[in-house]
Amino acid sequence: MTITEITELTESGQKRTEEKLMLLKKIRANLMEELHCRQQMVDQVDYMIYELKTGKKKDGTGGL
């Protein structure tokens, strides 16, 4: 969902303020969950880069 779509949803006169707030909170929660998942992926990739640079492996064998 884009910011434009979110803005259109919340600016429509069909919803009450409470409904708009609930919608925005739900959208925010979904975005935060997606951000968390993406951050975990970045952390995993960073660790893989670290392993390659240092020659370390998770299984303790060392080397490449």
Side-chain angles (χ1 to χ4, degrees), residues 6 24 53-54 59 61-62:
I6 294 169
L24 287 171
K53 283 184 174 181
T54 62
D59 62 8
T61 60

Side-chain angles (χ1 to χ4, degrees), residues 6-21:
I6 294 169
T7 302
E8 288 172 0
L9 279 173
T10 58
E11 287 184 349
S12 68
Q14 299 171 350
K15 295 190 186 309
R16 295 188 331 257
T17 300
E18 296 85 18
E19 292 172 314
K20 291 176 184 180
L21 283 171

Side-chain angles (χ1 to χ4, degrees), residues 3-64:
I3 293 296
T4 302
E5 292 169 329
I6 294 169
T7 302
E8 288 172 0
L9 279 173
T10 58
E11 287 184 349
S12 68
Q14 299 171 350
K15 295 190 186 309
R16 295 188 331 257
T17 300
E18 296 85 18
E19 292 172 314
K20 291 176 184 180
L21 283 171
M22 285 177 44
L23 177 63
L24 287 171
K25 286 179 181 182
K26 184 177 179 180
I27 291 168
R28 185 185 187 284
N30 290 338
L31 289 170
M32 291 303 294
E33 178 62 27
E34 183 179 331
L35 178 63
H36 176 70
C37 291
R38 296 292 183 171
Q39 183 62 53
Q40 286 180 322
M41 292 174 68
V42 168
D43 291 344
Q44 290 171 351
V45 169
D46 285 346
Y47 188 73
M48 292 169 71
I49 291 169
Y50 165 79
E51 286 183 319
L52 289 172
K53 283 184 174 181
T54 62
K56 296 182 180 179
K57 295 181 83 62
K58 287 182 187 176
D59 62 8
T61 60
L64 294 174

